[in-house]
Amino acid sequence: MNTLFDEIWDKHVVQIVEGGPTQLYIDRLYCHEVTSPQAFAGLRKRGLKCFRPEQIYCMPDHNIPTHDQDKPIEDPIGKKQVDTLDKNCSDFDLQEFKMNTPENGIIHVVGPETGLSLPGMTIVCGDSHTSTHGAVGAVAFGIGTSEVEMVMASQCILQQKPKSMRININGKLNPGVVAKDVALYLMSQLTTSGATGYFVEYAGDVVRNMSMEGRLTLCNLSIEMGARGGFVAPDETTFAYLKGKKYAPKGREWDKAVAEWRTLKSDDDAVFDKELYFDGADITPRITYGTNPGMGMGITESIPTIDEIDEESRASFLKSLQYMGFAPGEKLLGHPIDYVFLGACTNGRIEDFRAFASLVKGKRKAENVTAWLVPGSWEVMKQIKKEGLDEILETAGFTLRQPGCSACLAMNDDKVPAGKYAVSTSNRNFEGRQGPGSRTILASPLVAAAAAVTGVLADPRML
C-alpha cells in the first residue's frame, strides 16, 4: 500500500527524532552562487570539510550574463558571487561547471540532461525550483542556506515528512496545448497554496504521454502550487532519456540500474493523503493576468469579474490588476506586449526551442518586441545549432543569447524596464520579478512565439 514517495523517502531515512524531524540521507546536492556563500562560510567557521564532496556539484547560473561570457562580469555584485563560488569550490575540492564551459548552464537543466539526476535519488539545492529533478523519478526539493551547510557537513538533512498527493491528468491534450499550459491550469485550479504541505506525484494518460522535457516543466512548477516538490514515476520514457548521458550508469551497471528503477512505482492499492483528477481536454493555451502564477486563464478567456472573486481575496486581486494595468472582466487577446523571454529552468530545453522555432518559421519578429531567447545550457545551444533551429530563428529576426537564468529573476543584465509587458516562459510573475516595475505574463513557448511575431497576446492555434 506504499506510495512511491514513501518508498524513496523511507529508503533514505537515517533516523527519526522522536517528536521531531526525520534525518534524511541526500544523494545529490547542487549548489549555485546565490545561496551557497554563507554555507561555505559556516563550514570554515567550524573548521569542517564537505563530508562527501563527490556527491556535490556546483554551477554559477543566476548572475551570469547571457552575452560576452568570455569577458569579466561587469556587474560588481554578480562578479563577486561568481568569483566567490569559484574560490569556494577550489578551497573545498568540489566539482564545478564554470561559466562559459561546455557543461555550464542552469543547474536544473544540466542535472537531468547529464544524468547527474537519476531515479530513486534524494536531491536538494538552495533553490525552490529543485523540484524540476523530480521528473526523472527522484524526490527533489529546495532548501535554505543553513540546510545547504547541513548537507555539506553531513550529507543529511533534518526534514518533516510531507503528506502525499497524486494528481491524475487523463485523456488527451488538444493541439497547441503543452506541459506549461497543464502546469498553469493546475495552478489556477489549486491556487498557489493548494498543495502546501504535500509532495505531489503526477500521473495519468497526459503525464505518461509527456516527453521528459514536458515532465521537467511540470515538476518545475510544483512549488508554485505550494507543494514541497513534485515527481513522475520513472518509465520507458525516463530510461530512453537517461541512456548514454555522461553521468548515467554504463554497460552492466546500466542494466542493473534500469531493473531497479522499473520497481519504482506506487502500489496499485497505494493510499494518498489527497488525490485529484483532471481532464486534459479541459486545458487550452494559457496566460497569467496577475502577480502570482495561480492568477491564470485560457488565452481567449476574460479576467474574472470582481463578483467571481472571494470577498477576502478581492483587495489583493484588485491590487494585482492595478499593478498589471488590467481591469476585471477584460479580455487580453490582442493586448500589446514589449518583451518576450524564452528560457529559464522551466522552458529553456531543446523541445521548447523546437516549439518556438516551429511557430516563427517563415514569419518575422514584430518590430515592437524585444526578444531574449536563452538556452538553458550549452548542451541545448549545441543541439539548437545541430538541428538548424538557429538559422530558422535568425531568418525570422531573432538572436540567440548565451545560457543562464537570464530574465527569469533579473539578477543579471536582462531586466525588463518598468511598466513594460513581458510574455515569459519562466515560472514566476511576482511584482518586479523580471526587473523593478516590470509586468510579467507567464505562458508556454508557443504562446510566447505567437506574441513575438504578432507583437500582441495571440492564440498560437490561430497561427
Side-chain angles (χ1 to χ4, degrees), residues 289-343:
Y289 57 81
T291 54
N292 74 57
M295 299 178 78
M297 63 185 189
I299 191 158
T300 59
E301 295 172 7
S302 302
I303 296 173
T305 62
I306 195 72
D307 296 334
E308 295 174 89
I309 304 297
D310 295 336
E311 217 166 304
E312 63 271 19
S313 304
R314 287 178 183 176
S316 63
F317 171 74
L318 291 172
K319 179 177 179 286
S320 183
L321 290 190
Q322 184 179 13
Y323 180 86
M324 291 298 294
F326 298 148
E330 184 181 357
K331 274 189 178 292
L332 296 183
L333 203 62
H335 191 286
I337 59 105
D338 308 291
Y339 284 75
V340 166
F341 170 52
L342 173 66

Side-chain angles (χ1 to χ4, degrees), residues 132-150:
T132 310
H133 305 266
V136 303
V139 167
F141 52 93
I143 57 176
T145 298
S146 61
E147 294 170 313
V148 172
E149 182 184 343
M150 190 187 300

Side-chain angles (χ1 to χ4, degrees), residues 4-5 8 27 117-123 130-141 199-200 219 229-234 238 264:
L4 176 54
F5 174 70
I8 297 174
D27 294 309
S117 302
L118 296 170
M121 279 186 166
T122 49
I123 299 171
T130 307
S131 56
T132 310
H133 305 266
V136 303
V139 167
F141 52 93
F199 214 97
V200 175
C219 291
F231 71 106
V232 178
T238 319
L264 295 176

Side-chain angles (χ1 to χ4, degrees), residues 109-428:
V109 174
V110 174
E113 78 177 7
T114 57
L116 280 170
S117 302
L118 296 170
M121 279 186 166
T122 49
I123 299 171
V124 295
C125 175
D127 187 288
S128 55
H129 293 104
T130 307
S131 56
T132 310
H133 305 266
V136 303
V139 167
F141 52 93
I143 57 176
T145 298
S146 61
E147 294 170 313
V148 172
E149 182 184 343
M150 190 187 300
V151 179
M152 286 176 171
S154 67
Q155 208 56 41
C156 292
I157 192 171
L158 295 175
Q159 286 284 294
Q160 295 286 356
K161 186 178 180 180
K163 293 180 288 186
S164 62
M165 178 190 291
R166 182 160 63 187
I167 296 179
N168 303 276
I169 312 151
N170 291 307
K172 287 183 72 173
L173 295 179
N174 294 304
V177 177
V178 294
K180 181 64 167 288
D181 299 306
V182 175
L184 290 172
Y185 175 78
L186 292 177
M187 283 184 271
S188 71
Q189 298 298 302
L190 272 75
T191 76
T192 51
S193 60
T196 300
Y198 292 91
F199 214 97
V200 175
E201 178 177 346
Y202 297 101
D205 308 328
V206 167
V207 178
R208 275 194 296 274
N209 291 323
M210 269 185 192
S211 64
M212 276 304 296
E213 281 90 348
R215 295 176 186 184
L216 287 158
T217 295
L218 184 62
C219 291
N220 174 271
L221 288 154
S222 304
I223 192 74
E224 309 307 338
M225 299 185 297
R228 196 70 185 92
F231 71 106
V232 178
D235 57 14
E236 297 306 318
T237 300
T238 319
F239 311 146
Y241 175 83
L242 291 171
K243 190 170 186 179
K245 301 289 188 194
K246 182 172 181 178
Y247 296 99
K250 303 288 189 299
R252 286 183 181 176
E253 289 302 311
W254 169 259
D255 296 335
K256 185 179 169 186
V258 171
E260 186 181 329
W261 295 341
R262 286 190 201 283
T263 69
L264 295 176
K265 56 186 175 184
S266 292
D267 295 339
D268 292 341
D269 56 355
V271 178
F272 292 80
D273 294 302
K274 192 169 188 178
E275 188 149 18
L276 299 172
Y277 294 86
F278 297 95
D279 188 342
D282 294 338
I283 306 171
T284 59
R286 297 185 70 80
I287 53 173
T288 57
Y289 57 81
T291 54
N292 74 57
M295 299 178 78
M297 63 185 189
I299 191 158
T300 59
E301 295 172 7
S302 302
I303 296 173
T305 62
I306 195 72
D307 296 334
E308 295 174 89
I309 304 297
D310 295 336
E311 217 166 304
E312 63 271 19
S313 304
R314 287 178 183 176
S316 63
F317 171 74
L318 291 172
K319 179 177 179 286
S320 183
L321 290 190
Q322 184 179 13
Y323 180 86
M324 291 298 294
F326 298 148
E330 184 181 357
K331 274 189 178 292
L332 296 183
L333 203 62
H335 191 286
I337 59 105
D338 308 291
Y339 284 75
V340 166
F341 170 52
L342 173 66
C345 58
T346 316
N347 284 123
R349 298 174 185 83
I350 185 60
E351 187 177 277
D352 304 310
F353 280 81
R354 287 175 187 148
F356 192 96
S358 73
L359 198 141
V360 305
K361 187 176 182 179
K363 304 178 182 67
R364 289 289 298 172
K365 181 184 77 66
E367 287 187 16
N368 62 301
V369 171
T370 299
W372 291 328
L373 312 188
V374 188
S377 70
W378 283 102
E379 186 59 37
V380 173
M381 176 74 90
K382 182 177 163 187
Q383 190 66 23
I384 287 169
K385 292 184 175 179
K386 183 180 177 183
E387 296 182 17
L389 301 181
D390 56 329
E391 294 174 16
I392 293 171
L393 295 169
E394 284 168 21
T395 302
F398 297 93
T399 304
L400 282 169
R401 295 173 85 84
Q402 294 173 318
C405 288
S406 185
C408 175
L409 74 173
M411 289 184 76
N412 43 67
D413 298 338
D414 301 349
K415 292 176 173 62
V416 176
K420 299 295 184 184
Y421 289 97
V423 175
S424 177
T425 66
S426 53
N427 39 50
R428 286 182 173 159

Side-chain angles (χ1 to χ4, degrees), residues 26 31 38 40 76 93 151 207 210 251 277 285 293 298 430:
I26 299 301
C31 289
Q38 298 91 335
F40 283 112
D93 197 25
V151 179
V207 178
M210 269 185 192
Y277 294 86
F430 304 156

